[in-house]
Amino acid sequence: MESSNLEPEPAEAAPDAAEPSAPAALILLEPADDAGACSVDGWCD
Amino acid sequence: MTAGVFGRAAEPIVIDVWSDVVCPFCYLGHAVLREAVEQFPHGSAVQVRYHSFQLNPGFPPGETVLADDYLARQHGMPKAQIAASHAQLTARGAQAGLDYRFERALMVNTLDAHRIIHLAKAHGQESAMVDRLFRAEFTDGLDVSDHKVLAGLAAELGLDRAEAEKALATRAYENDIRADLARARELGITGVPFFVFDDKRAVSGAQPVELFRRALDLSWQDRETQPA
C-alpha cells in the first residue's frame, strides 16, 4: 500500500488547546454535558 | 425548498462538518445530525458539506493497530477505562442506530480515506461515503487505509473502482484536504466533530439532537427575518 502523510506546513502544527473551541466570529451553541469529541492529540472524551 | 420563496429563505442552510474517519464521536455526530435534519420541517433545504480533519496525521501510513491498544499505548489509559468509555459510547450509538464494535476498530492513517471521500464528493456521493467509511471502521473492523478496501467501498456505492484505484495510486485530492485543514485552522477547530451552520453558528462535539435542531431552527429564523 503506497501512502503518505501530507507534508505539514509550519502553521499546521497542532494547537496547544485540547478542547474544541470556536473563533469569535462563530457563535458556539451551548454544549451539553454528555457530548463527546476527539481532539488533535487523539484523545476522545 | 418551497417553490416561490424569495430572498434568503430560498437559499439552503449550509452545514459544514469537519470530522475524521477514526473518530467515534464523529460517527455519532454524523448520525445525530442526520436525525436532526430528518426531523427539521425544512430538511430538504439543508446542504451538508463534509471536510477533512486528521486527528493523527503523523500515524505511520501502512501501519494498523487495534484502537484499544493504541489508546492504551498512546495515552496510558487502563484497558478497563477504555472498555467503560466504549460501553457508554456503544449505548449512545445504539440509540442513534449505530452498531459500534470497538473490539474490531483499527487505528490507521486516514489520509487516503479522506481522499476517497473527496472522490465520492466529485460524484455526489460524499455523505454516503462518509457514512460507509464510519461503518467500515467502527462496525466492520476494516482497514480504511487499505487501497483495496477503499476502492471496494467506492464500488459498493456505484463509483468506478478503476477510477478510485487510480486516484488512490496518485496524490489526487490532497489539495482539497489541505484546503479543508486550512479552513479548520482559520476557524480555530482543535477537535471534531465540529459543525458550522451558515458560517455563523457552531456546534462542537456529538451533541444531542435537540442542539442540532436548535441550530437549524435559528438558521431558518435568520432567513425569515433577514432580507436577501
Side-chain angles (χ1 to χ4, degrees), chain B residues 95-116:
Chain B
Q95 291 178 341
L98 308 183
D99 183 14
Y100 282 111
R101 305 288 182 95
F102 283 108
E103 72 279 7
R104 301 176 182 172
L106 299 171
M107 180 58 68
V108 299
N109 188 294
T110 58
L111 177 64
D112 291 335
H114 285 294
R115 295 203 295 129
I116 210 74

Side-chain angles (χ1 to χ4, degrees), chain B residues 157-179:
Chain B
L157 298 182
L159 303 178
D160 185 79
R161 183 189 295 266
E163 182 187 359
E165 289 172 344
K166 184 178 177 183
L168 290 166
T170 66
R171 303 182 78 90
Y173 301 107
E174 284 193 2
N175 286 340
D176 298 275
I177 295 172
R178 286 183 195 281

Side-chain angles (χ1 to χ4, degrees), chain B residues 142-196:
Chain B
L142 298 176
D143 175 359
V144 295
S145 69
D146 185 277
H147 288 188
K148 286 182 181 174
V149 169
L150 293 172
L153 296 179
E156 263 187 42
L157 298 182
L159 303 178
D160 185 79
R161 183 189 295 266
E163 182 187 359
E165 289 172 344
K166 184 178 177 183
L168 290 166
T170 66
R171 303 182 78 90
Y173 301 107
E174 284 193 2
N175 286 340
D176 298 275
I177 295 172
R178 286 183 195 281
D180 284 346
L181 298 175
R183 182 62 179 149
R185 281 197 304 273
E186 288 173 4
L187 292 172
I189 297 172
T190 59
V192 288
F194 196 91
F195 308 83
V196 177

